[in-house]
């Protein structure tokens, strides 16, 4: 007895032998027709030609107004099982539904991401409604800036040899340049062009012209295939690390003497930012490391380096406040026990752990339930700490004299240099705004681009200035001060951030926002920064884990989007 046919279900595709027998039967039926002479007249409409049954699947998205396929194309293959008709209709319905889902915009697509093509329109995100005369300090390293303005950037093109040399001299002598609010003829202003050259200078170690030494995180693909004679030569690796240690120590000494405001140490796994006392509202030297791992943090503890995890502590404080308001005392105590798993100290199994299982004895089932051992409890405590590895929340803060211990730890740390891969034996990159021993003077790359953009029904000239390289906080502020005068207080900028450094904008615990500005200016007068730039960097960070992505100035007032 044949199985009943269920509407909307076609079991034929699950039985290949039955389908093969059906195909052989069709071939035998078509043999007599093939031996007969072909008809002289046109084929009758009652005998349509066989067609591919899958041709009815319209997988391509139809444009608006396209007519639907004829009813004949929706039929199942001739001679097939009648129950298979629902199967073909189901396939056709699925094929028609796919374009609709494909046409929907993805929720994960970043519509605010700046485009790499300068000629394509850049999506401008929403900006804060209240303009300010200064934007917050952004401690992340930028890899690219794209300024746009209705005024041309011809003043930034083809600097004369004398102007370039004067800009280098002004940088080395930390000359303060004060421009008027609006420069009438920017192209003819030698002072503006020299100050522009001055703002592009930075210092780097090591200097290997054939290698791109920033960024270092995720740079294996760019470095692969380049000449690296030190990768197989241990003596050469030791010479490079010895020279690097001298430069690193020189930078720290300059920082301690308040002759260098800050500097970056960029390794292939993490980045360290050292900041002088007086910056970010701190009266002592600070160092922030991101991202970190449990192994790195454990090694720092073993070396006696005291550090904190500001973002973890902030989250813990927020949870405690919520528990005090919304939960009862017992639940709050359980949260405190859960939070203690993230503490820096990881004690072994103690009497408190034994007492936590005393309720089993009260129920009389202590022998039937297996008690977790010390290793299981330790792994459970370490779970929360391991989960934040390689994430922004793993940011570590070192303050005061512990930064000198961190200096020695990094110099002697074996994992600071890659032991395998394209970066094998290559010392970390040192970036500084001022000169130091072993440092090489470098300049950011700048070029101006002219394009046309359609506004309403006409085309308007849009002028762009692109800056490429490791753009540190002082360079960003110096460039904006120059553009403020040269572009008459009207420009916008798209900022490309090196993502691992965005978390450097997180606030520090126990910072002093009311640090006296006069004290800062008296302590850091010769650090090489403009006084206005020093004022900005001395403020407490307000951007959190994010960084500025879009900056706009209108009527000499800033708005930004992070």
């Amino acid at each position: 007895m044949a199985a009943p046919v269920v509407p909307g279900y076609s079991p034929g595709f699950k039985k290949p032998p039955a389908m093969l027998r059906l195909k052989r039967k069709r071939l035998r039926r078509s043999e007599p027709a093939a031996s007969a002479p072909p008809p002289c007249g046109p084929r009758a409409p009652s005998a349509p030609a066989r067609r591919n049954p899958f041709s009815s699947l319209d997988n391509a998205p139809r444009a608006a107004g396209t007519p639907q396929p004829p009813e004949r194309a929706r039929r199942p293959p001739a001679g097939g099982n009648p129950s298979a008709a629902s199967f073909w209709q189901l396939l056709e319905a699925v094929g028609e539904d796919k374009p609709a889902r494909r046409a929907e915009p993805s929720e994960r697509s970043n519509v605010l991401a700046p485009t790499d093509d300068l000629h394509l329109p850049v999506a401008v995100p929403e900006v804060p409604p209240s303009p300010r005369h200064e934007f917050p300090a952004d401690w992340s390293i930028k890899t690219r800036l794209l300024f746009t303005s209705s005024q041309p950037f011809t003043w930034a093109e083809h600097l004369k040899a004398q102007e370039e040399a004067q800009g280098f001299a002004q940088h080395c002598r930390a000359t303060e340049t004060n421009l008027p609010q609006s420069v009438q003829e920017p192209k003819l202003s030698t002072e503006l062009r020299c100050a522009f050259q001055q703002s592009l200078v930075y210092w780097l170690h090591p200097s290997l012209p054939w290698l791109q030494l920033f960024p270092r995180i995720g740079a294996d693909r760019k470095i692969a295939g380049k000449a690296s004679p030190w990768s197989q030569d241990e003596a050469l690796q030791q010479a490079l690390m010895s020279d690097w240690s001298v430069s690193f120590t020189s930078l720290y000494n300059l920082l301690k003497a308040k002759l260098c405001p800050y500097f970056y140490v960029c390794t292939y796994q993490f980045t360290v930012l050292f900041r002088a006392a007086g910056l970010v509202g701190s009266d002592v030297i600070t160092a922030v490391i991101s991202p970190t791992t449990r192994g790195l943090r454990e090694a720092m503890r073993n070396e006696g380096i005291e550090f904190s995890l500001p973002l973890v502590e902030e989250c813990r404080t927020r949870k405690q406040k919520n528990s005090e308001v919304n939960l009862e005392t017992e639940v709050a105590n359980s949260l405190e026990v859960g939070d203690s798993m993230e503490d820096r100290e990881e004690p072994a199994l103690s009497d408190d752990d034994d007492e936590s299982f005393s309720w089993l004895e009260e129920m009389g089932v202590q022998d039937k339930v297996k008690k977790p051992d010390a290793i299981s409890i330790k792994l459970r405590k370490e779970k929360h700490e391991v989960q934040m590895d390689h994430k922004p929340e793993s940011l570590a803060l070192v303050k005061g004299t512990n930064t000198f211990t961190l200096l020695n730890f990094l110099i002697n740390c074996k994992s600071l240099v890659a032991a395998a891969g394209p970066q094998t034996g290559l010392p970390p990159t040192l970036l500084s705004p001022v000169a130091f021993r072993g440092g090489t003077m470098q300049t950011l790359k700048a070029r101006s681009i002219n394009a046309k953009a359609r506004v309403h029904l006409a085309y308007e000239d849009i002028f762009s200035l692109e800056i490429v390289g490791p753009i540190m906080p002082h360079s960003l502020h110096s460039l904006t001060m120059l553009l403020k005068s040269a572009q008459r207080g009207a420009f916008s900028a798209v900022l490309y951030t090196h993502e691992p450094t965005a978390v450097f904008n997180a606030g520090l615990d126990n910072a002093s926002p009311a640090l006296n500005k006069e004290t800062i200016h008296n302590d850091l007068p010769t650090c090489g920064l403009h006084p206005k730039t020093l004022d900005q960097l001395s403020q407490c960070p307000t951007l959190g884990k994010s960084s500025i992505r879009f900056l706009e100035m209108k009527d000499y007032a800033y708005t930004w989007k992070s």
Side-chain angles (χ1 to χ4, degrees):
M1 180 176 179
V5 178
V6 180
Y9 177 72
S10 175
F13 70 96
K14 292 185 177 181
K15 300 178 180 179
M19 301 299 294
L20 292 176
R21 286 195 297 270
L22 180 61
K23 185 176 181 180
R24 295 192 192 100
K25 185 184 294 184
R26 292 175 182 170
L27 291 176
R28 285 194 296 270
R29 289 179 181 177
S30 61
E31 285 177 359
S35 59
C40 299
R43 180 178 293 181
S46 60
R50 292 183 70 251
R51 57 185 296 278
N52 185 358
F54 293 99
S55 63
S56 62
L57 296 177
D58 187 8
N59 290 328
R62 299 190 185 96
T66 303
Q68 296 292 334
E71 189 65 27
R72 173 177 163 275
R74 297 174 179 264
R75 295 176 183 173
N81 190 350
S83 63
S86 58
F87 172 68
W88 304 114
Q89 294 173 0
L90 177 61
L91 285 178
E92 182 179 2
V94 172
E96 293 175 355
D97 290 341
K98 283 183 179 180
R101 291 195 299 269
R102 203 178 292 122
E104 294 177 359
S106 173
E107 295 179 357
R108 297 182 179 180
S109 60
N110 187 4
V111 297
L112 303 182
T115 176
D116 291 337
D117 190 352
L118 302 179
H119 301 285
L120 295 178
V122 179
V124 179
E126 296 181 0
V127 293
S130 56
R132 300 181 182 179
H133 293 287
E134 190 62 85
F135 61 94
D138 190 343
W139 287 100
S140 64
I141 304 178
K142 309 298 180 183
T143 58
R144 181 169 173 252
L145 302 177
L146 182 60
F147 295 98
T148 57
S149 176
S150 58
Q151 302 293 327
F153 291 94
T154 53
W155 55 269
E157 299 175 352
H158 309 297
L159 298 181
K160 299 178 182 178
Q162 184 178 0
E163 294 171 341
E164 183 177 348
Q166 182 66 25
F168 289 144
Q170 291 179 185
H171 169 81
C172 295
R173 298 169 183 171
T175 304
E176 179 182 336
T177 303
N178 293 314
L179 298 173
Q181 185 176 13
S182 178
V183 179
Q184 299 300 327
E185 294 291 340
K187 188 176 181 179
L188 302 178
S189 176
T190 303
E191 186 180 11
L192 173 64
R193 292 161 67 89
C194 293
F196 177 68
Q197 180 64 48
Q198 178 183 358
S199 63
L200 298 179
V201 178
Y202 68 97
W203 294 82
L204 172 76
H205 180 88
S207 178
L208 303 172
W210 66 93
L211 292 181
Q212 182 178 344
L213 296 177
F214 180 84
R216 294 291 297 273
I217 299 178
D220 288 353
R221 185 174 298 179
K222 294 182 179 180
I223 298 179
K226 303 294 181 63
S228 54
W230 55 83
S231 59
Q232 303 297 333
D233 192 340
E234 293 185 2
L236 185 55
Q237 292 182 15
Q238 293 179 0
L240 289 175
M241 284 302 301
S242 177
D243 192 26
W244 179 85
S245 301
V246 171
S247 298
F248 187 18
T249 306
S250 171
L251 267 175
Y252 184 83
N253 292 334
L254 290 171
L255 189 82
K256 188 176 180 180
K258 299 182 179 180
L259 298 175
C260 174
Y262 63 89
F263 66 91
Y264 294 86
V265 182
C266 306
T267 75
Y268 76 106
Q269 286 184 320
F270 57 87
T271 307
V272 188
L273 168 60
F274 285 84
R275 289 179 283 207
L279 299 184
V280 294
S282 176
D283 54 356
V284 295
I285 298 176
T286 59
V288 284
I289 312 171
S290 177
T292 63
T293 60
R294 178 184 174 274
L296 177 62
R297 296 190 294 269
E298 192 68 24
M300 292 170 60
R301 293 191 189 105
N302 294 336
E303 291 294 327
I305 301 175
E306 297 181 3
F307 64 93
S308 60
L309 305 175
L311 298 180
V312 174
E313 294 175 358
E314 179 184 353
C315 181
R316 180 184 306 161
T317 304
R318 192 184 310 115
K319 287 182 179 180
Q320 290 179 352
K321 290 182 179 179
N322 293 337
S323 63
E324 292 174 0
V325 175
N326 300 327
L327 301 179
E328 298 178 352
T329 306
E330 295 179 357
V331 180
N333 294 335
S334 65
L335 286 176
E336 292 176 2
V337 173
D339 290 336
S340 64
M341 298 179 184
E342 300 176 1
D343 288 343
R344 291 175 295 175
E345 299 296 333
E346 298 173 357
L349 185 63
S350 60
D351 296 338
D352 296 337
D353 298 320
D354 294 333
E355 295 177 359
S356 62
F357 300 102
S358 60
W359 58 276
L360 295 176
E361 299 179 0
E362 298 177 358
M363 297 179 62
V365 293
Q366 67 274 10
D367 298 332
K368 298 181 180 180
V369 179
K370 185 178 179 181
K371 193 175 180 181
D373 54 3
I375 297 178
S376 301
I377 295 178
K378 184 177 180 180
L379 291 176
R380 183 177 180 85
K381 291 180 178 181
E382 294 175 353
K383 176 182 177 182
H384 299 279
E385 189 172 0
V386 174
Q387 284 179 345
M388 66 180 179
D389 287 356
H390 303 289
K391 295 181 179 180
E393 290 75 16
S394 65
L395 174 76
L397 169 64
V398 183
K399 304 176 67 175
T401 57
N402 288 285
T403 57
F404 181 73
T405 311
L406 176 64
L407 167 76
N408 295 325
F409 168 75
L410 294 176
I411 291 177
N412 300 315
C413 182
K414 298 297 183 181
S415 60
L416 195 70
V417 179
Q423 302 191 52
T424 302
L426 186 61
T429 301
L430 300 176
L431 293 173
S432 170
V434 299
F436 60 95
R437 183 176 177 181
T440 305
M441 177 186 288
Q442 303 286 342
T443 57
L444 303 174
K445 297 180 181 179
R447 64 166 182 165
S448 59
I449 303 170
N450 300 334
K452 289 184 177 293
R454 187 169 185 177
V455 180
H456 301 295
L457 299 178
Y459 286 90
E460 294 184 0
D461 292 330
I462 297 296
F463 304 97
S464 303
L465 177 64
E466 181 188 33
I467 309 294
V468 178
I471 304 164
M472 289 181 279
H474 76 285
S475 298
L476 174 61
H477 190 265
S478 299
L479 289 170
T480 54
M481 287 195 302
L482 295 180
L483 267 65
K484 178 180 179 181
S485 301
Q487 306 304 118
R488 300 177 183 177
F491 66 88
S492 62
V494 178
L495 293 76
Y496 296 73
T497 303
H498 180 48
E499 293 303 330
T501 62
V503 72
F504 289 158
N505 292 314
L508 307 182
D509 50 352
N510 300 327
S512 303
L515 204 61
N516 193 354
K517 290 185 178 181
E518 295 182 358
T519 304
I520 297 174
H521 290 169
N522 293 333
D523 293 342
L524 295 170
T526 57
C527 67
L529 298 184
H530 194 280
K532 293 183 179 179
T533 303
L534 191 60
D535 288 342
Q536 186 204 42
L537 299 182
S538 63
Q539 302 298 324
C540 294
T542 58
L543 296 174
K545 294 185 292 184
S546 61
S547 61
I548 298 178
R549 312 286 177 172
F550 178 79
L551 183 66
E552 185 178 15
M553 169 173 274
K554 287 184 177 180
D555 297 330
Y556 299 95
Y558 288 105
T559 54
W560 61 89
K561 177 68 176 181
S562 59

